[in-house]
Amino acid sequence: NAGVTQTPKFQVLKTGQSMTLQCAQDMNHEYMSWYRQDPGMGLRLIHYSVGAGITDQGEVPNGYNVSRSTTEDFPLRLLSAAPSQTSVYFCASRFLDRGEAFFGQGTRLTVV
Amino acid sequence: GEDVEQSLFLSVREGDSSVINCTYTDSSSTYLYWYKQEPGAGLQLLTYIFSNMDMKQDQRLTVLLNKKDKHLSLRIADTQTGDSAIYFCAESRGAGSYQLTFGKGTKLSVIP
C-alpha cells in the first residue's frame, strides 16, 4: 500500500498564480483532510471531507477550494496564491469508525 | 487558552527515558494521538489511545491517559539519537467530529 500520497513535494509560485495540490489515498478511507503547518502555529485544518461529494471548511479555509469526486482523491486548489500561503501542506485520511489517522509526506509551498 | 498544550523543548541523554506531556481541554475527546516529525518529513503516527483506556504500551512507547486531569503523556524507554524529532499530541473530539486538533509540538533532543 502506498498510503497517503501527496504531489508535488516542493513548489514555488508567484503571487496571483493558481495551482492544485494533489492528495490520493489507497486505503478506502472515508475521511480526508488538508492541514497547513506554520512555524509556531502547529497544524491547522483547512478543509475536510467525510465522503465523496461532501466537503466542509476547517479553521483556515480562505483562499483554498477543495472537491471530492472520488473516495481516493482530495485535491486542494489555491485560486490566487498569496505570500501568506507559504507553508507546508499535509493531507490526512482515516476511517470514520477507527482512530488511526495517516498523513502524507507534505508539500512545501513558497509564494514569492 | 490553547486547546492542546505541550512544552516546546525536552532534552535527554541517550539511554534515559523521555517523558513528553500534553494537556487538552475537551472532555469529549474520543481518541488521543502521538505523532513524530523528523526534519523535513511528514507526520508519522506513533500510537494512539481510545479515551476509555488508561494506558497503552507498544515496544519502547508507553502512553498514559489521565482523563480526569485531561493529561496525556508519552514515555520513550531507552531513548536513542534516532528519537530526536518533534512530537505532536493531538485529539479527535466527540462523536461525529473526525478532525484532529494538534498541540504545537515538543522538540526532543537526545544527547549522545
Side-chain angles (χ1 to χ4, degrees):
Chain A
N1 279 347
V4 181
T5 303
Q6 290 184 235
T7 55
K9 288 187 169 52
F10 302 94
Q11 183 70 49
V12 179
L13 288 179
K14 292 183 178 177
T15 298
Q17 285 185 315
S18 62
M19 81 158 293
T20 300
L21 308 185
Q22 302 291 344
C23 176
Q25 52 92 9
D26 61 359
M27 297 172 281
N28 208 30
H29 288 166
E30 302 100 332
Y31 181 83
M32 296 186 74
S33 55
W34 278 100
Y35 292 83
R36 58 178 288 174
Q37 183 179 31
D38 301 293
M41 301 292 291
L43 281 89
R44 293 179 291 169
L45 182 67
I46 305 171
H47 284 287
Y48 66 95
S49 167
V50 297
I54 305 168
T55 63
D56 210 340
Q57 296 180 350
E59 181 186 353
V60 288
N62 292 342
Y64 307 95
N65 276 356
V66 291
S67 59
R68 184 96 181 268
S69 55
T70 67
T71 300
E72 295 78 19
D73 299 297
F74 191 46
L76 178 73
R77 295 185 187 86
L78 282 71
L79 303 174
S80 178
S84 61
Q85 293 178 304
T86 294
S87 188
V88 182
Y89 291 85
F90 289 101
C91 179
S93 72
R94 62 180 286 190
F95 287 115
L96 292 178
D97 62 352
R98 296 183 212 170
E100 293 161 296
F102 298 99
F103 282 74
Q105 289 300 299
T107 295
R108 191 172 297 270
L109 176 68
T110 302
V111 183
V112 297
Chain B
E2 296 287 335
D3 294 314
V4 179
E5 290 191 358
Q6 306 176 237
S7 53
L8 294 181
F9 301 100
L10 177 65
S11 183
V12 299
R13 293 205 175 275
E14 190 174 17
D16 288 349
S17 292
S18 308
V19 179
I20 304 172
N21 294 301
C22 170
T23 57
Y24 60 99
T25 57
D26 195 325
S27 58
S28 67
S29 295
T30 52
Y31 292 98
L32 294 129
Y33 303 81
W34 285 104
Y35 286 87
K36 176 183 180 183
Q37 186 178 36
E38 297 182 66
L43 278 78
Q44 175 193 352
L45 177 62
L46 286 178
T47 187
Y48 68 102
I49 188 168
F50 190 50
S51 57
N52 68 355
M53 297 169 65
D54 298 323
M55 185 181 91
K56 183 177 180 181
Q57 189 153 4
D58 183 1
Q59 298 183 333
R60 292 191 297 124
L61 305 179
T62 302
V63 177
L64 295 178
L65 176 60
N66 181 329
K67 207 172 176 185
K68 173 177 169 288
D69 294 337
K70 299 188 184 71
H71 183 266
L72 182 75
S73 67
L74 174 70
R75 179 177 180 269
I76 306 172
D78 187 24
T79 311
Q80 302 298 307
T81 55
D83 295 321
S84 292
I86 299 176
Y87 290 80
F88 289 94
C89 169
E91 61 173 349
S92 178
R93 295 175 174 172
S97 175
Y98 307 101
Q99 68 188 65
L100 270 61
T101 300
F102 285 83
K104 292 185 177 177
T106 299
K107 185 174 182 179
L108 173 65
S109 299
V110 182
I111 305 163

